[in-house]
Amino acid sequence: MTIKSMHHVGITVTDLAAAVAFFEELGMELEGKAHMEGEFVDGVIGLDGSRSEIAMLQTPDGRYRIEFSQFETPRSIDGSSHAPIHALGLRHIAFVVDDLDDTLARLRPHGAEVVRNVETYQDVLRTCYVRGPEGILVELGEYFS
């Protein structure tokens, strides 16, 4: 048996509102928010007495989701949110955009910073990495038709 699909990627943040605003500006849509606590949640995530707020965002086509969690208790620990791309573990999320320059202009007021350069690969793609809220690395790519 194989998996049916991927449901979501989870990211823990200290400022849920900033993360939601950034990714909504990118074009993701808020699917819902919820308060999470209790035996069921503790049993799933392995933390006793946890309380958190979550927000689920989805891509416009509804295929992909990111779940952002902000913990009230226990207090979040620093997981090297500004680690470089070659550090072990989950490092970036990639999105295809219609207009890279416009996307960058809209994200800058939300704290997005290009990691180094916007680069062009042959006549196929313009791409770059940006750091968003909480140091989340986001790869943006505009493909040429």
Side-chain angles (χ1 to χ4, degrees):
M1 179 171 247
T2 63
I3 61 171
K4 290 183 177 185
S5 66
M6 188 177 96
H7 189 268
H8 70 271
V9 172
I11 300 175
T12 301
V13 296
T14 59
D15 189 340
L16 186 62
V20 169
F22 179 90
F23 283 89
E24 282 182 322
E25 188 63 46
L26 184 56
M28 295 194 78
E29 299 166 355
L30 181 64
E31 186 175 9
K33 291 183 177 182
H35 177 79
M36 305 296 289
E37 69 177 298
E39 279 185 41
F40 170 77
V41 175
D42 290 354
V44 171
I45 67 173
L47 293 172
D48 293 330
S50 71
R51 286 194 311 270
S52 63
E53 299 296 323
I54 66 167
M56 187 73 76
L57 286 91
Q58 65 181 354
T59 54
D61 64 5
R63 289 184 66 189
Y64 305 102
R65 291 172 181 80
I66 302 174
E67 176 189 273
F68 292 99
S69 301
Q70 179 179 332
F71 281 83
E72 181 181 324
T73 60
R75 196 158 240 211
S76 295
I77 59 171
D78 186 359
S80 296
S81 60
H82 289 5
I85 192 67
H86 69 292
L88 297 176
L90 180 63
R91 282 297 142 233
H92 76 282
I93 304 168
F95 295 97
V96 176
V97 298
D98 290 331
D99 183 331
L100 183 57
D101 294 326
D102 176 66
T103 301
L104 290 171
R106 289 185 297 107
L107 292 177
R108 281 190 180 104
H110 294 274
E113 297 179 12
V114 174
V115 171
R116 182 167 289 167
N117 298 321
V118 174
E119 298 287 351
T120 301
Y121 177 73
Q122 298 177 357
D123 292 328
V124 177
L125 166 73
R126 284 185 71 229
T127 189
C128 66
Y129 280 11
V130 299
R131 284 226 185 246
E134 313 285 334
I136 298 168
L137 274 172
V138 178
E139 180 181 356
L140 302 173
E142 176 185 355
Y143 286 86
F144 302 122
S145 301

